[in-house]
Amino acid sequence: GYVLGSQFANANPLTISHLGFFDGQQNGLTGSHPVGIWSVGGTLLAQTTVVPTDALNNSFRYHALATPLTIPAGTYVVGALYNSTEEYGYSPSGFTTYPGISFQGARYTTGSSLSFPTTFSSGFIGYFGADFLIGSANSPPSIASNSAAVTTPEGGVATNAGTFSDPQGNNTVTLTASIGAVTKNDTL
């Protein structure tokens, strides 16, 4: 088998939520494949196994990391084990990367298990089999109202306020809602 991958540099910190494996025919994989991301020095930072039933997104099947990986600006390697007849992207034309990420070259090694792809070909456009998705380590936002219920006399305006906030404190929006004139609504 082979571990095929790419070396890339990121100008800003990234949070990686998923690792992916190329499914060029978009018809499913013949088996499961381990995928990893390493520092350029060869330290494994995260890995997961992409399975044939993982979601397809732009010719890749992605599997979520157990814990999102946040990496600082730097140089990294993403690679996947090919121990079957799976297809990989080779020398594509017109590919683009996420803003702030630059492709530096291909990485590969031989072996029967996921290991750091030691051979580097600078600027060589090849081996696009492993990929990643940039996600967020943020917790979901919360919504809170100042009062659970509001009472107002007939003809009055019912008003309540609350907040929609990001638990990390990055964004807070104050919400105010009101219902026009309240009229009596009785059943006879």
Side-chain angles (χ1 to χ4, degrees):
Y2 297 92
V3 176
L4 303 177
S6 301
Q7 182 170 306
F8 67 94
N10 55 306
N12 301 300
L14 297 175
T15 297
I16 296 171
S17 61
H18 294 70
L19 294 178
F21 191 90
F22 187 64
D23 184 359
Q25 299 300 313
Q26 301 180 18
N27 59 355
L29 302 173
T30 61
S32 299
H33 297 274
V35 182
I37 188 164
W38 295 265
S39 68
V40 73
T43 301
L44 182 64
L45 303 174
Q47 75 176 66
T48 193
T49 299
V50 176
V51 298
T53 56
D54 281 332
L56 182 67
N57 181 352
N58 293 327
S59 297
F60 285 86
R61 296 201 178 269
Y62 290 96
H63 196 89
L65 293 173
T67 302
L69 171 67
T70 299
I71 56 174
T75 303
Y76 300 90
V77 175
V78 61
L81 177 63
Y82 281 81
N83 54 5
S84 65
T85 59
E86 302 289 5
E87 180 179 4
Y88 58 87
Y90 179 79
S91 196
S93 61
F95 76 92
T96 60
T97 61
Y98 189 81
I101 297 176
S102 59
F103 171 75
Q104 294 188 326
R107 285 274 190 170
Y108 61 95
T109 194
T110 59
S112 58
S113 62
L114 185 66
S115 59
F116 181 67
T118 54
T119 303
F120 176 60
S121 295
S122 177
F124 175 71
I125 300 177
Y127 309 139
F128 290 84
D131 197 20
F132 57 89
L133 292 177
I134 299 169
S136 173
N138 284 345
S139 299
S142 62
I143 299 175
S145 64
N146 293 346
S147 301
V150 176
T151 304
T152 189
E154 185 175 351
V157 175
T159 302
N160 197 356
T163 59
F164 174 87
S165 63
D166 178 351
Q168 285 75 32
N170 298 333
N171 299 299
T172 299
V173 176
T174 301
L175 306 173
T176 302
S178 62
I179 299 173
V182 177
T183 57
K184 187 173 182 181
N185 186 3
D186 281 332
T187 316
L188 297 176

